[in-house]
Amino acid sequence: MAASQNSASRPRVSKSVLLYSAFLLVPLYWLVVLSLQPNKASKSALSLLPSPLSLENFAFVFGSPDWVAGYVNAVTYVALNVVITLLVALPAAYAFARFRFLGSEQALFFSLLFRLMPPAIIMIPVVQMFSAAGLIDTHLAVALAHCLFTVPVSIWILEGFVSAVPIELEETAAIDGHSPAAIFFRILLPQIRPGLFVTAFFCFIFSWVELILANALTTVDAKPIGVIMKVVASPVGSVHIGIASAVSVLMLIPGAALAWALRRHLARGFSMGRVT
Amino acid sequence: MSARLRQWNGAWALVLPAAVVMAVGGFAPLMTAINYSFQQSFSGDRYFWTGLDWYSAILHDGAFWQTMGRTALFSILTLVLQFGLGLFIARKLFHKQGRPELFIAILGLPLLAPWIVVGFLWRHMMDAEVGLLGGLLSVFQVTVDLNSVLWAWVTILAMDLWHWTSLVVVLCYAGYLSIPPAYFHAAKIDGASGWAVFRHIELPKLRNVLLVAGLLRLADSLMIYIEPFMITRGGPHVATTFISQELIKTATQEFNLGEAGAISVVYLLLIVPIAWLLFKAMRAGHGG
C-alpha cells in the first residue's frame, strides 16, 4: 500500500534485506546439511552439501520412542498453553481496553513486571508448589508455569486490538438488543481475529523455546524433546552433531510452519492493534 | 480515546481468571523466593531465620556486582546492535522491498528456534576446523578460539544478533505500516531528504513500537541463559556467566536457596524502576 505507492518507480529489491535474509538462512541451511550426513562426516570436514547423503540421524530419532514422545510432549504443553492463555487473557484484555477500574493501571504494570522476571528466580518455588499439588511431570504444570510469561504479553497485545475496535460498534449492537455475550463472540471476536493469531504467535515464541522451567518441572512422562536433546548437544556431555542437528531441524519445523502461515497476519496484525 | 473509558470496578471480574493464574503461577513463587532470602536452608527442609545476612553478603560481594555488570553490558551491546540493524532493515523492507510478507516469514524463523538449538548451532558454527564460520575464517588465517574472552563475547553477541534482530524488524515494520501514506507524499512534495523523513516522520511515529521492542529485548537479554551456556558454559572462567546462570547455579548446584532468593530480590529492585519508566512512556504514547 504505502510501500508500493512510495517506490513504484524503483526496482523493488533491497540488497540489505536480501543480505540480512541470507545471514539468517545460511546457518539454518547448514544445520539441515549436518542432519543429512553421518556424524563422522560432520566431524571430519566442512561441507556445504550432505556427503554422503544419509538419513541415519533421523532414523535414530524416529526409532527412539522416548525422543518421539518428547516431541509430542512439547507440542502438547505448548498447545495447552496457547489455549489457557487465550482463555484468561481475552476477558482481561477486554476489561483493560474498555473500562477504568480501581487499580487498573497498577495491575497492568504488575503484569508487565512478571514478563521481566527471569524464570530462574521462581524455578525452585514453582517446582515445590507443583510437586505439592501433585502436578510434577504433567503437561499442565509446564503449560501453567509458562502462562506466567505468556499471559502478560497476551493481555497487552489483545488490549491493543480491542481498543482499536470502535466502542460505538458495541453500543449500537446493545441498542439493537444483542446480549453482551453475543456482542463479544459475534461482533468483537471476528474483528480482532488477527490479534488472536499474533497472540498465539507470541505464546508459541515463549513456550516452544523455553527450557529452564520445562526441564525443572518434568522427569519422564512430560519431558520435552529439547531437554532430551541436551544429551547429544550440551558441551557438558559428548556431542553427537548428527543427531543433535536432526532434532534441531525437527524442532524448527513447527516454527517455520507458523511463520509461513502467519506471514500476512504478523505485520498487519501489529499495525492494526494499538501496539504501534 | 481514554477519556471515553467508563469507570466500572466490576471489570475486575473479567480480569479475575488472569489474576488468579498470575497470582498462583508468579506471585506465590516470588513471595516464596523473597521469604527464602531471609533464611538459611539445610538439607532442603529445615530453615533458619538469618535476617538481612544474605543481602549484606551479596552487596559486599565483588563477584556478584561483576556478574550484574556483565549482564548489563551484554544487554546494552545487544540492544544497540539490534536496534541499529533492526531499524535499518525494517526501513529497507518497507521502502524498497517487494513481497514483504515473504521476508516476514523468513525473519520469523530464528525467533521460533528453540534456544538450545540456537546455542548448539552457533557453538558448532564457530568450530575452527569444521564449523561454517570458524572454518571459513580459518581460510583467512583467523583462528576462532572460544577459550578467549573476546571470541566468546563476539560469538554470543553475533548469535544474539542472529536470533533476535528480527523481532525489532517485525515490530518496526508493523510500525511503518501504520504511518498514513499522506505523510510520505507530503514529504516528497516538500523534497525532504531521506534523513529528514526518517528523523521527523518515521522516528516519532515508531516511538511506541520501539518502546515495546525495547522492553521485550531488555527483558530477554537480561535473562539470557541457555544460549551462552551451550556455547561457553559461562567461561572462559566466568567471562560469559550472566545473572540467570548465577541464580541457577546458586539454587540447584549449591542448594543455597537463601542466597538465590536475595540475588533475585536485588535484581528485581534494580529492574522495577526501568520497567516503570518504560511503562509510563508507553502509556503516555497511548493517550495521544
Side-chain angles (χ1 to χ4, degrees), chain A residues 52-53 112 134 147 169 200 246 266 275:
Chain A
L53 188 65
L112 199 89
C147 273
L169 210 64
L266 273 183
V275 174

Side-chain angles (χ1 to χ4, degrees), chain B:
Chain B
M1 274 294 240
S2 34
R4 288 216 48 184
L5 290 188
R6 199 145 58 86
Q7 178 81 28
W8 183 51
N9 286 338
W12 264 108
L14 296 171
V15 183
L16 198 64
V20 168
V21 168
M22 301 298 290
V24 172
F27 197 64
L30 179 63
M31 283 299 133
T32 314
I34 292 175
N35 186 26
Y36 284 152
S37 73
F38 300 110
Q39 306 190 42
Q40 166 81 277
S41 62
F42 287 103
S43 62
D45 55 355
R46 292 167 61 209
Y47 298 94
F48 295 95
W49 182 260
T50 56
L52 294 171
D53 287 3
W54 287 122
Y55 290 94
S56 79
I58 287 170
L59 295 178
H60 293 101
D61 180 7
F64 168 74
W65 288 110
Q66 280 168 19
T67 308
M68 292 296 277
R70 268 196 301 277
T71 309
L73 179 67
F74 173 76
S75 264
I76 292 166
L77 286 175
T78 50
L79 259 71
V80 168
L81 287 171
Q82 293 173 12
F83 276 78
L85 180 64
L87 256 175
F88 176 74
I89 296 293
R91 189 162 198 271
K92 292 284 182 190
L93 188 62
F94 177 71
H95 286 299
K96 299 256 169 77
Q97 184 64 53
R99 303 212 48 203
E101 74 281 354
L102 175 73
F103 288 90
I104 292 289
I106 293 174
L107 262 54
L109 286 177
L111 297 178
L112 294 156
W115 300 345
I116 189 167
V117 171
V118 176
F120 162 74
L121 175 61
W122 275 82
R123 187 187 71 226
H124 194 53
M125 282 226 303
M126 297 307 272
D127 189 295
E129 281 163 26
V130 297
L132 186 62
L133 259 173
L136 194 72
L137 287 168
S138 293
V139 176
F140 299 102
Q141 307 299 321
V142 180
T143 312
V144 177
D145 177 15
L146 287 180
N147 291 316
S148 90
V149 176
L150 183 68
W151 275 113
W153 271 77
V154 166
T155 304
I156 291 173
L157 285 172
M159 177 210 68
D160 212 61
L161 193 75
W162 180 86
H163 192 182
W164 285 114
T165 305
S166 293
L167 186 73
V168 182
V169 180
V170 172
L171 285 168
C172 286
Y173 179 72
Y176 269 107
L177 288 181
S178 69
I179 302 176
Y183 281 59
F184 292 110
H185 291 314
K188 212 172 180 183
I189 292 165
D190 289 349
S193 71
W195 170 251
V197 171
F198 177 72
R199 174 69 191 81
H200 296 291
I201 296 177
E202 298 174 3
L203 217 48
K205 284 281 171 192
L206 293 178
R207 180 179 173 276
N208 260 356
V209 90
L210 285 171
L211 282 170
V212 172
L215 191 87
L216 287 172
R217 283 309 303 125
L218 182 74
D220 287 335
S221 62
L222 286 174
M223 60 173 85
I224 191 164
Y225 167 64
I226 293 171
E227 304 98 308
F229 186 79
M230 288 295 289
I231 291 176
T232 60
R233 296 177 64 188
H237 189 44
V238 289
T240 54
T241 298
F242 301 112
I243 193 74
S244 274
Q245 192 182 337
E246 187 66 34
L247 268 171
I248 288 174
K249 197 183 76 191
T250 310
T252 65
Q253 284 166 29
E254 298 165 6
F255 300 106
N256 197 338
L257 297 181
E259 191 182 349
I263 294 176
S264 306
V265 172
V266 172
Y267 174 85
L268 284 177
L269 288 178
L270 291 174
I271 192 105
V272 167
I274 304 174
W276 178 250
L277 287 177
L278 281 169
F279 179 72
K280 277 286 152 199
M282 257 183 260
R283 298 303 281 175
H286 266 194

Side-chain angles (χ1 to χ4, degrees), chain A residues 149-266:
Chain A
F149 300 90
T150 54
V151 168
V153 184
S154 303
I155 290 179
W156 210 23
I157 295 173
L158 290 169
E159 192 261 351
F161 278 91
V162 176
S163 300
V165 178
I167 201 164
E168 288 80 3
L169 210 64
E170 288 168 44
E171 288 169 350
T172 318
I175 292 166
D176 289 347
H178 289 85
S179 71
I183 293 173
F184 185 80
F185 286 106
R186 285 202 221 123
I187 295 171
L188 189 69
L189 224 45
Q191 291 277 333
I192 60 167
R193 230 168 63 103
L196 302 181
F197 289 130
V198 175
T199 308
F201 178 83
F202 263 80
C203 292
F204 189 96
I205 256 190
F206 185 85
S207 192
W208 180 252
V209 302
E210 200 278 341
L211 278 186
I212 296 177
L213 292 171
N215 180 26
L217 286 170
T218 56
T219 49
V220 184
D221 292 342
K223 211 169 217 21
I225 185 80
V227 174
I228 299 173
M229 177 190 159
K230 269 189 181 170
V231 181
V232 291
S234 164
V236 185
S238 61
V239 179
H240 192 291
I241 299 168
I243 296 174
S245 304
V247 175
S248 298
V249 169
L250 290 174
M251 287 174 79
L252 286 170
I253 290 175
L258 198 67
W260 181 252
L262 295 183
R263 67 191 185 282
R264 280 173 218 287
H265 288 297
L266 273 183

